[in-house]
Amino acid sequence: MKLQFTEEQQMMRNMVRDFAKEHISPFIANMENGEFPREVLYKMGELGLMGIPIPEKYGGAEMDFMSYIIAIHEISKVSPTIGVILSVHTSVGTNPIVYFGTEEQKQRYVPKLASGEWLGAFCLTEPSAGSDAASLKTKAVKEGDYYRINGSKVFITNAGEADVYIVFASTDPSKGSKGVSAFIVEKGTPGLIFGKDEHKMGLHGSRTLQLSFEDMRIPAANLLGQEGEGFKIAMANLDVGRIGIAAQALGIAEGAYQHAVQYAKERIQFGKPIAMQQGIGFKLADMATAIEASRLLIYQAASLRAQGLPCSKQASMAKLFASKTAVEVTTEAIQVFGGYGYTKEYPVERYFRDAKVTEIYEGTSEIQRIVISKHL
Ligand code: CAA
């Protein structure tokens, strides 16, 4: 087992690091004030970052899956907000069309998504169907060449800004998860109504909207896959999505950790840097160890995925562990900074606020344990 990046992967890492320094860092304050990073995303599109694993045939960069994970990790070290926008856009906003779409659907949507001209979103969660995703209430009724969709969604990342929405609705409620179907919905479709943008604890530059569908008519040609195949489409793409969120969590942990190490080497108390005091040195050692363990779980899941092998269990393990690490490491990073860590003068409080949701979205930690335990 090789644990070294290829030349291509190293190039991706260096390119993303440079990009983050030059184009993302200066925009962090704007995002903290709620501004959506549209211009940054367009620039990322120009560099091929909005379609890293997407086939060239459909306008993507067709790079390996690990390069995609490296990009999310590096971006999230600087901006977890842009990390989640990218992960949702690619893993669950674009990939479902690449893997389950007809040739016509791929031609129409994927090039614009992969180039970053359009942004993608994934609409599964509902007010009464969160962890129990199969119990969704949104209904799609076929009427000739159209489906009429009614229902509502919550916590939809990228909504409002996104141009393409993968919407899950039941075409046969009597069949439970086997009655769920997936649809491609374009922004501007009459009946697609954007609701409240949630006022979140962190990830302030990202959008998290409520949506409702009021007699929204969708051409039957926008059914993704077959009727009743929607739940499997959701689950299969969430496997991949969860590796992306794990990489985002790793970026958050590492970002906070790097600031904590630097501060601990500079901050003098009791006549020497606090990094040299065992209480802080041990803290940093534990943080570094948990980060390395997360990294290895993520690389394992990503490597299985890159080879086209089943990766549900490993993806859930990676997300479970990396998100826990993000929460713990960001908490400890604040502790290393002491009182300064609790202020907005240093970035660790931002990482702390951004970390928590990685234990919630794309399946809570409890759901990851369900997925893992089903495989044991
Ligand atoms: N790949 C393919 N098919 C899968 C699958 C997978 N990973 N997991 C399950 N399936 C299939 C099963 O094989 C089964 O089909 P068969 O009967 O034909 O075998 C079918 O789906 C139903 O499976 P389960 O009986 O296991 O389904 P369940 O109702 O018990 O639910 C669950 C399983 C894992 C709890 C699932 O509901 C789940 O993942 N819940 C969490 C939802 C979630 O992650 N939401 C995230 C929203 S998106 C988001 O957060 C994005 C964002 O904003 C950042």
Side-chain angles (χ1 to χ4, degrees):
M1 185 181 181
K2 262 199 196 163
L3 282 175
Q4 268 175 334
F5 286 155
T6 62
E7 212 170 298
E8 191 185 42
Q9 290 161 352
Q10 282 178 40
M11 276 167 61
M12 169 60 81
R13 187 180 60 184
N14 296 342
M15 187 259 274
V16 174
R17 277 185 185 168
D18 291 346
F19 179 84
K21 202 168 162 194
E22 196 178 338
H23 298 288
I24 298 182
S25 289
F27 204 70
I28 286 174
N30 300 52
M31 289 188 277
E32 277 305 285
N33 288 326
E35 197 177 325
F36 189 76
R38 246 303 174 193
E39 291 308 314
V40 180
L41 296 174
Y42 285 141
K43 284 194 191 104
M44 284 168 57
E46 283 164 20
L47 291 173
L49 295 174
M50 299 302 281
I52 299 169
I54 309 299
E56 268 180 18
K57 187 179 166 196
Y58 302 112
E62 200 169 333
M63 292 181 78
D64 67 304
F65 186 74
M66 188 66 87
S67 297
Y68 165 61
I69 289 303
I70 291 168
I72 295 180
H73 169 214
E74 290 299 330
I75 286 172
S76 303
K77 260 168 83 177
V78 177
S79 169
T81 287
I82 297 188
V84 72
I85 294 171
L86 174 62
S87 182
V88 168
H89 164 79
T90 314
S91 302
V92 288
T94 307
N95 269 347
I97 307 179
V98 174
Y99 290 109
F100 295 93
T102 60
E103 191 53 36
E104 207 180 336
Q105 289 170 340
K106 289 182 203 177
Q107 296 287 354
R108 176 166 173 78
Y109 296 106
V110 180
K112 286 192 167 130
L113 288 163
S115 67
E117 184 185 341
W118 282 2
L119 193 64
F122 180 81
C123 311
L124 179 67
T125 305
E126 300 188 356
S128 61
S131 289
D132 184 8
S135 69
L136 56 78
K137 301 276 182 297
T138 294
K139 283 191 184 56
V141 178
K142 188 139 190 232
E143 294 175 350
D145 289 342
Y146 287 85
Y147 283 91
R148 186 184 295 274
I149 303 185
N150 280 287
S152 57
K153 300 283 174 183
V154 286
F155 303 129
I156 305 304
T157 302
N158 291 347
E161 300 290 342
D163 305 274
V164 176
Y165 298 78
I166 308 296
V167 172
F168 295 89
S170 182
T171 39
D172 187 349
S174 70
K175 289 189 179 158
S177 68
K178 289 187 171 52
V180 174
S181 301
F183 299 89
I184 307 170
V185 177
E186 293 181 26
K187 189 179 192 177
T189 301
L192 168 61
I193 294 158
F194 297 123
K196 185 178 157 212
D197 183 6
E198 302 295 347
H199 188 55
K200 305 187 294 293
M201 175 182 181
L203 301 178
H204 286 168
S206 75
R207 296 283 174 268
T208 312
L209 264 68
Q210 298 179 5
L211 292 187
S212 56
F213 313 120
E214 294 183 9
D215 282 330
M216 179 175 75
R217 288 178 85 226
I218 297 296
N222 282 28
L223 173 71
L224 185 59
Q226 304 297 315
E227 267 197 22
E229 216 186 354
F231 195 70
K232 283 195 178 180
I233 294 177
M235 291 298 119
N237 286 287
L238 278 171
D239 282 347
V240 183
R242 285 167 183 162
I243 309 175
I245 297 302
Q248 184 213 15
L250 176 65
I252 295 171
E254 212 173 353
Y257 162 79
Q258 287 174 351
H259 284 286
V261 169
Q262 191 186 337
Y263 182 80
K265 287 180 177 174
E266 288 164 6
R267 171 76 171 168
I268 309 287
Q269 290 290 276
F270 305 105
K272 57 182 178 184
I274 58 170
M276 304 297 285
Q277 320 273 3
Q278 201 175 62
I280 300 299
F282 278 14
K283 230 184 244 316
L284 295 172
D286 286 344
M287 290 156 81
T289 305
I291 286 169
E292 279 313 306
S294 303
R295 192 194 311 279
L296 293 175
L297 280 170
I298 292 167
Y299 288 175
Q300 176 186 238
S303 146
L304 289 172
R305 167 70 198 173
Q307 296 171 67
L309 295 169
C311 64
S312 267
K313 182 179 78 176
Q314 289 80 3
S316 285
M317 285 178 165
K319 182 181 182 285
L320 175 66
F321 196 83
S323 58
K324 181 170 177 278
T325 297
V327 170
E328 288 173 359
V329 166
T330 54
T331 305
E332 288 294 64
I334 293 182
Q335 197 68 18
V336 170
F337 274 80
Y340 293 110
Y342 196 64
T343 71
K344 291 194 181 289
E345 201 175 320
Y346 291 93
V348 284
E349 67 84 33
R350 173 170 61 85
Y351 287 109
F352 173 81
R353 287 185 287 103
D354 288 351
K356 182 60 200 173
V357 74
T358 64
E359 290 189 314
I360 298 170
Y361 57 28
E362 297 215 8
T364 60
S365 294
E366 293 72 18
I367 289 297
Q368 306 313 324
R369 290 184 175 97
I370 289 178
V371 174
I372 296 162
S373 61
K374 278 185 178 175
H375 282 87
L376 304 182

